Amino acid sequence: MLKMDSHIHSEYSPDSHSKIDDILKCAQRANIDVIAISDHNTVDGTSEVMKKTKNTDILAIPSIEISSSDGHILGFGCEENVPRGLSPEETIDRIHDLGGLAIVPHPYCFYRHGLLHKTDYKNLKIDAIETKNARFIVGYCNRKAKKLSEKENLPTLGASDAHYWEFVGDCYSLIDAEKDIDSIMKAILKRRVEAHGKGTSNILLSKYLFEKNVLKKFD
């Protein structure tokens, strides 16, 4: 079984300052086998991490978090940018044209552009959803996503959605696959994947932000 964090943000996302080298160090400490840098509307981070993980024990899978007109969609396996602002249907078609999987992150979170908060699942050709996103300490949105996955027989993923590298691996997936991109993509589609992990502590996150001077302006 491989341990994967499929939704991590780097300094190439406007709301993250995490450097790729720091993400990789944290992934190693957390015994992560596979990572995906899923930055907002750019594959620049994914391009860097794939170069830096060559000939290492960590496998990097290309990915991007795309802002569709109705919410966020991960283009898991995409090495090219997909334009933001397209309809969910067109965004998913573009992902599939690039050979990627359309994965819905934080599906029901209205304040984080959760796609299924606005859009009916039945109208979409999605491949998998996150049922454990570490940024939900309460867990209501995760539980709702899990309920949908059971009803519709959808593959489920866990991911840290870390915008700060210290929290990489808080949630993760265990995948029954070989350590290569094609095998992992096929294993997800065949539902040989399980979501695991814990919510990122809001107390630890607030402490981290304060120490990094992000919250001191409110003191």
Side-chain angles (χ1 to χ4, degrees):
M1 298 289 278
L2 299 174
K3 187 177 181 181
M4 178 178 76
D5 191 342
S6 54
H7 186 177
I8 304 169
H9 291 274
S10 77
E11 60 185 340
Y12 293 97
S13 285
D15 53 358
S16 174
H17 299 286
S18 297
K19 295 188 179 302
I20 298 295
D21 288 342
D22 290 329
I23 291 170
L24 290 174
K25 289 176 185 176
C26 191
Q28 288 176 326
R29 287 202 299 265
N31 296 313
I32 300 292
D33 302 297
V34 183
I35 67 170
I37 302 298
S38 302
D39 283 317
H40 294 293
N41 304 302
T42 180
V43 294
D44 289 348
T46 238
S47 297
E48 181 179 338
V49 77
M50 291 186 73
K51 291 175 184 176
K52 288 188 172 181
T53 52
K54 283 184 178 179
N55 302 317
T56 72
D57 291 335
I58 294 179
L59 173 68
I61 294 182
S63 189
I64 179 174
E65 185 170 13
I66 306 150
S67 299
S68 79
S69 60
D70 287 349
H72 291 175
I73 305 172
L74 295 186
F76 187 75
C78 293
E79 297 186 62
E80 299 177 25
N81 289 331
V82 174
R84 63 185 301 167
L86 301 176
S87 70
E89 293 83 0
E90 189 171 2
T91 300
I92 291 170
D93 284 344
R94 295 286 189 99
I95 291 169
H96 289 159
D97 287 345
L98 291 171
L101 302 182
I103 298 170
V104 183
H106 43 77
Y108 290 104
C109 184
F110 70 92
Y111 61 89
R112 290 180 56 219
H113 309 287
L115 180 67
L116 302 187
H117 172 67
K118 286 186 176 182
T119 307
D120 186 354
Y121 156 76
K122 294 185 182 300
N123 296 325
L124 304 174
K125 298 176 183 177
I126 63 175
D127 299 300
I129 62 172
E130 287 179 357
T131 58
K132 276 187 176 289
N133 181 294
R135 294 183 68 193
F136 297 113
I137 195 67
V138 176
Y140 166 76
C141 293
N142 286 332
R143 289 195 299 272
K144 193 170 182 180
K146 176 64 173 174
K147 187 175 181 180
L148 175 67
S149 73
E150 291 170 348
K151 179 182 177 182
E152 301 294 341
N153 205 31
L154 284 169
T156 64
L157 295 176
S160 67
D161 195 359
H163 287 64
Y164 307 98
W165 62 268
E166 286 88 341
F167 304 108
V168 168
D170 277 0
C171 278
Y172 56 90
S173 302
L174 290 180
I175 301 182
D176 181 11
E178 299 298 322
K179 202 173 184 180
D180 66 73
I181 294 175
D182 286 343
S183 179
I184 289 169
M185 302 268 281
K186 289 175 182 176
I188 291 173
L189 289 175
K190 292 179 180 179
R191 302 181 70 246
R192 298 202 306 266
V193 58
E194 298 175 351
H196 292 270
K198 61 181 181 179
T200 295
S201 167
N202 287 335
I203 295 174
L204 290 177
L205 180 57
S206 297
K207 182 176 182 291
Y208 171 86
L209 295 176
F210 186 84
E211 290 174 348
K212 298 296 182 181
N213 295 315
V214 177
L215 293 182
K216 285 188 177 181
K217 62 183 176 181
F218 298 111
D219 188 26

